[in-house]
Amino acid sequence: MESISNLLATLGVSDLTPAQWCQIFFVANAGFILMLQALPDDMRRALMDYGARRATSRRASTKKGEAGATKEGFFDVLTSYGQVPHSWFIHFYITSVSWSIFWGWQFVSKGSVMRALAERQHNAAGEDASSEVELTATLVAWLLMSSQGLRRLFECLFVTKPGSSGMWFVHWILGLAYYTTLGISVWIQGSGAILRSWESPQPIHFTPQIIIGAAVFGFAGAQQSECHRYLAGLKKYTLPSEGWFKYFVCPHYTFECLLYLSLAVVAAPTGSWMNRSILCSLTFVLANVGSTAYGTKIWYAEKFGADKVEGKWIMVPFVF
């Protein structure tokens, strides 16, 4: 441990709080995903596409010239190693629910892991109350994140159809790391309130910001679930065109972003509109599902015709 502390001090990051480490993880990975978008199209598709979109891009590459096929083929071969079933998406939500249960148990039992992180966060924040989240907001954010994980786990088990397509193991590992970090981000800026609640009872009060944020979260979750049920009821490789899909290529991603935006509002520090850690997680979500949604629009245009997706927003109304 001492050698790790010395290394962190040498790098000048020993004073970073747990919340800041979470923020760095989200923003760095969002930047990495955006960087991949600047790669040549064949390379980007090989590294990022999966399932039907990956198969389409590989078939398309065979129609190109020999030089292009060789270049694209190298990355296809590279990413063909370590493919895991697309059904392993369920592991993300098992991870999310597991961490929600773990941190809930840590809070109730005044666990040593939560105490260590909370004390480091609170001591580093010092007298700066602008980054501290009240207990009510922290608990509501934890409950909302728990409900989201449970809903998505339920959908994976009983709603969505298990596919035979694969995804690269790097995507899988990144997803597990994301939900692990998010599990901490939901409560870490409420460390001071958590520590105080362990010493004496703290008041519970629901502010308009918490109520409105939770209501938007519930709306977004319900609409996303409706989108997932609609997609699950379609025949394989059918163009979605009803409900929100009349206006968006990937409305389920739209509501995914709205979920995290509203969660950031719920868990905002006193006097602030947003929780910075959760807002940083939104940058990761935007980069990740945004790149997937963009690829989906291209795939739809190639398979069903560009006119079928013309005039639709990809994910964010009036922007993207």
Side-chain angles (χ1 to χ4, degrees), residues 221-236:
Q223 296 306 308
Q224 186 186 56
S225 181
E226 184 178 322
C227 291
H228 288 157
R229 290 177 184 276
Y230 170 67
L231 289 173
L234 291 175
K235 292 182 179 180
K236 191 174 183 180

Side-chain angles (χ1 to χ4, degrees), residues 15 31 150 157-158 176 194 204 222 238-239 241 281 291:
D15 294 332
L150 285 169
L157 290 171
F158 303 109
L176 296 179
I194 289 172
I204 298 295
T238 301
L239 179 68
S241 58
S281 78
S291 62

Side-chain angles (χ1 to χ4, degrees), residues 16 106 109 174 187 235 278 300:
L16 291 178
Q106 284 282 299
S109 64
L174 186 58
W187 64 265
K235 292 182 179 180
I278 299 176
Y300 282 164

Side-chain angles (χ1 to χ4, degrees), residues 251-272:
H252 47 309
Y253 292 156
T254 304
F255 292 115
E256 180 85 2
C257 295
L258 186 57
L259 280 166
Y260 290 109
L261 181 62
S262 59
L263 191 64
V265 171
V266 168
T270 303
S272 300

Side-chain angles (χ1 to χ4, degrees), residues 284-302:
F284 176 89
V285 172
L286 281 168
N288 187 33
V289 301
S291 62
T292 302
Y294 179 73
T296 299
K297 182 174 183 178
I298 294 174
W299 186 80
Y300 282 164
E302 291 174 348

